[in-house]
Amino acid sequence: MLKIGIFSKLSRISVRMLRYYEEAGLLIPEQVDSATGYRYYGEGQLVEAERIHALREMGFGVGAVGEILSAYHHPAALEQFLRIRREELLAELRAAQRRLLLLETTLERVGKDDKMEYNVTLKEIPARQVASLRGIIADYSREGELWTRMMEETAPQRLQFADPCYGLAIFHDSEYREEQVDVEVQMAVKGSYTDTENVRFRQVPAQRVASVTYQGGYDQIGGVNQAVVDWAAANNCRLDGPMFNIYHVGPVQTSDPAQWVTEVCYPVGEEEKV
């Protein structure tokens, strides 16, 4: 038997946390001296303590740890717990990366003129044949999942990309959403192909758009949107339809956000009468 102090050192869990785990029913001493209140742990409990320590390091709460320990000898159930936590951590990592990128960009602009100039032009996106996949994704950062699904499903057909090869994402929601985002990705192609489970091949008519092309990370989208809105108001132009991004250079080509080239497009209707 091991006194609580020795057990604490061997398990790398503080005495305070051991008492907390005892109250939560996670790790109960094998023996408690009724006269002194001293707690004693069995040597075999070090294995259980190590499991608790590892799960807590993964970020599981005490309640979840209790559930996982009860499923520890059932591999399928244990794997499910771990896979769910992995997805949670990946989502947290993506969010942290976005925050870090925004922080670094802001640091670069400290002491400089923070107002970016964006050139808005009125242009026509020509009619084109596209491979199209539309789906609901967890949030905007998961757009890559749609592109991956499109490439996987169409790989056997060896798509020939059009010239110019428009690769774009259309954002169909009528408002900004923090989750469950409705996004359609399109790739301009040439040739004849068969629809797959999720990918549709269709003709898209020509579109007149207010367009801004800029270089850099996606943190600039807010400034681009402001420029387009100001331009539309100054030119009595009505924005009409879901906006979309054309990726001239994106994460597929380079992992360096400073090198990305994005064209933000807003379909426009007839000029408003004044």
Side-chain angles (χ1 to χ4, degrees):
M1 302 292 285
L2 301 170
K3 288 185 177 181
I4 191 170
I6 298 298
F7 190 83
S8 170
K9 288 183 179 180
L10 294 174
S11 65
R12 300 170 298 155
I13 301 174
S14 70
V15 171
R16 180 182 63 84
M17 288 305 297
L18 286 173
R19 293 185 184 279
Y20 176 57
Y21 292 155
E22 179 185 354
E23 293 175 1
L26 288 183
L27 190 59
I28 300 174
E30 286 191 359
Q31 181 179 325
V32 178
D33 189 310
S34 58
T36 63
Y38 290 165
R39 286 159 168 74
Y40 297 89
Y41 292 83
E43 289 81 354
Q45 288 186 286
L46 286 170
V47 174
E48 192 170 5
E50 176 60 26
R51 290 173 180 169
I52 294 172
H53 180 72
L55 292 170
R56 293 288 282 160
E57 285 293 297
M58 294 177 201
F60 287 105
V62 171
V65 169
E67 290 185 62
I68 297 171
L69 288 176
S70 65
Y72 220 89
H73 298 293
H74 302 278
L78 176 59
E79 181 180 0
Q80 182 67 13
F81 276 113
L82 297 179
R83 287 187 178 278
I84 290 173
R85 182 56 185 157
R86 182 176 65 180
E87 288 303 310
E88 291 173 347
L89 288 174
L90 287 172
E92 292 171 11
L93 176 61
R94 286 190 291 267
Q97 289 172 332
R98 292 195 299 272
R99 295 189 185 103
L100 181 59
L101 178 59
L102 179 58
L103 177 61
E104 290 176 341
T105 302
T106 303
L107 281 171
E108 290 177 0
R109 294 176 182 169
V110 170
K112 301 178 182 177
D113 183 2
D114 196 44
K115 184 173 178 58
M116 301 288 289
E117 296 295 335
Y118 298 104
N119 184 35
V120 183
T121 60
L122 189 63
K123 63 182 288 187
E124 183 172 279
I125 305 296
R128 60 202 180 277
Q129 180 188 10
V130 301
S132 168
L133 188 151
R134 182 172 176 177
I136 304 297
I137 54 179
D139 56 59
Y140 293 101
S141 70
R142 307 292 284 272
E143 182 187 314
E145 296 175 1
L146 299 178
W147 290 106
T148 298
R149 195 184 313 164
M150 174 186 283
M151 293 300 103
E152 290 177 347
E153 289 192 17
T154 60
Q157 302 194 59
R158 299 179 181 274
L159 301 185
Q160 296 184 59
F161 300 125
D163 186 16
C165 182
Y166 288 108
L168 58 88
I170 305 171
F171 305 97
H172 287 283
D173 293 303
S174 60
E175 62 186 70
Y176 179 84
R177 297 178 62 89
E178 294 184 351
E179 57 185 9
Q180 299 301 296
V181 184
D182 185 359
V183 179
E184 177 184 358
V185 295
Q186 294 181 356
M187 181 66 72
V189 297
K190 58 184 179 181
S192 179
Y193 306 98
T194 302
D195 290 349
T196 67
E197 180 181 358
N198 296 290
V199 180
R200 301 291 178 264
F201 294 92
R202 60 188 178 88
Q203 294 291 328
V204 176
Q207 292 174 285
R208 195 169 68 134
V209 301
S211 164
V212 173
T213 300
Y214 74 92
Q215 181 172 336
Y218 300 137
D219 59 296
Q220 296 185 52
I221 292 293
V224 170
N225 291 343
Q226 183 64 59
V228 172
V229 169
D230 292 345
W231 175 89
N235 290 274
N236 297 316
C237 193
R238 177 169 53 88
L239 303 180
D240 184 22
M243 60 87 67
F244 57 91
N245 292 339
I246 300 175
Y247 303 115
H248 297 288
V249 179
V252 172
Q253 289 79 25
T254 174
S255 60
D256 181 7
Q259 302 302 317
W260 296 347
V261 178
T262 307
E263 184 174 357
V264 181
C265 300
Y266 279 84
V268 297
E270 296 299 321
E271 286 78 8
E272 296 179 341
K273 302 301 181 182
V274 295

